[in-house]
Amino acid sequence: MTNISPLNSTKHLNTSIKESRDYSRFASQSLIPIVVQEFSVLATEFPIVFVKNAETGQFTPIAMMGIKNNFNLYCQTENWESSVTPIGFSKAPLSLMQTSQNSDEVMVFIDEDSELVSSEEGEKLFDKSGEQTEYLKKRSSDLLDLASFTQQTAGITKYFADLSLLTPKQLTVTLNSDTPQVNIDGVYIIDEKVLNELKDEEFLTIKNKGLLPLIYAHLTSLHQIARLITKQNELDKAKSK
């Protein structure tokens, strides 16, 4: 449950935010939306694939953090063990929202019910005179960057889709458990065959746009599925004892 309200220097004068690497709130989310700016970093740990919104047809890149539906292998405890972290994990309890439906202006909102919000400890959002602290300025800037990254990501994935580069892929993984095979449906990957058969002009456009590193990071990341299988098998083995 959330209690979202506009950030206000009067109402939230004494509000602080506790920094935490407890991401257990994502425990039931095996697919985490990410932005293209973090492909190269996250590809060292997580498989990166794409999912399609059935209503809009829009594609979104996601980091796979689990083999089984609604189970995030990395977020079952309060301790985040990976050396890399999705940008979106760190935005809570703050968010950006439009001031009105017809306006491009945005403002910062805060989830007042978040466990990260405190009146006793953490980083202050406003000083005694009601001015934004450097911490809040930095957090607000990060939110604006993420919003920009998200918009850029939507444009790039649409470009991939328009070139017919994204193809549906059923991932079948074998586990050492009572359910030895798990089928992962609804994901899309870059089709290397289509990529290699692009017209020279189209391929050069991708290259000149600087998108080839994103494609190769995505394709390389698929090898990380083996890491997820190992983690799931270790968890299943521990539970069976």
Side-chain angles (χ1 to χ4, degrees), residues 31-36 38-39 48-54 56-64 149-150 153-158 160-161 166 186-189 218:
L31 305 179
I32 302 297
I34 60 174
V35 292
V36 295
E38 53 187 340
F39 271 30
I48 296 172
V49 296
F50 300 83
V51 295
K52 185 178 183 179
N53 185 308
T56 66
Q58 182 177 342
F59 288 91
T60 301
I62 59 99
M64 289 179 57
F149 293 163
T150 301
T153 297
I156 289 171
T157 51
K158 182 181 184 302
F160 288 160
L166 298 176
V187 300
Y188 290 72
I189 65 171
H218 151 65

Side-chain angles (χ1 to χ4, degrees), residues 94-111:
L94 302 178
S95 59
L96 284 182
M97 294 187 187
Q98 291 176 291
T99 54
S100 67
Q101 188 174 2
N102 299 319
S103 173
D104 291 332
E105 293 184 359
V106 295
M107 65 184 303
V108 178
F109 282 67
I110 185 170
D111 176 9

Side-chain angles (χ1 to χ4, degrees), residues 128-141:
K128 293 180 180 179
S129 61
E131 297 296 323
Q132 293 187 14
T133 61
E134 291 302 316
Y135 174 79
L136 177 55
K137 291 178 182 178
K138 175 64 167 59
R139 289 294 300 266
S140 299
S141 177

Side-chain angles (χ1 to χ4, degrees), residues 77-187:
T77 69
E78 296 179 358
N79 301 314
W80 178 253
E81 298 178 354
S82 174
S83 61
V84 296
T85 309
I87 296 173
F89 272 18
S90 302
K91 67 178 184 178
L94 302 178
S95 59
L96 284 182
M97 294 187 187
Q98 291 176 291
T99 54
S100 67
Q101 188 174 2
N102 299 319
S103 173
D104 291 332
E105 293 184 359
V106 295
M107 65 184 303
V108 178
F109 282 67
I110 185 170
D111 176 9
E112 296 180 339
D113 288 346
S114 170
E115 295 179 353
L116 299 175
V117 174
S118 173
S119 59
E120 300 175 353
E121 59 179 310
E123 299 285 348
K124 298 283 290 184
L125 301 180
F126 299 97
D127 60 25
K128 293 180 180 179
S129 61
E131 297 296 323
Q132 293 187 14
T133 61
E134 291 302 316
Y135 174 79
L136 177 55
K137 291 178 182 178
K138 175 64 167 59
R139 289 294 300 266
S140 299
S141 177
D142 289 344
L143 288 173
L144 286 169
D145 286 344
L146 181 56
S148 177
F149 293 163
T150 301
Q151 187 176 33
Q152 293 171 33
T153 297
I156 289 171
T157 51
K158 182 181 184 302
Y159 180 65
F160 288 160
D162 290 343
L163 288 175
S164 300
L165 287 176
L166 298 176
T167 185
K169 178 74 172 179
Q170 183 185 70
L171 303 177
T172 301
V173 299
T174 301
L175 302 174
N176 299 324
S177 64
D178 294 336
T179 54
Q181 280 198 335
V182 177
N183 293 324
I184 303 173
D185 299 306
V187 300

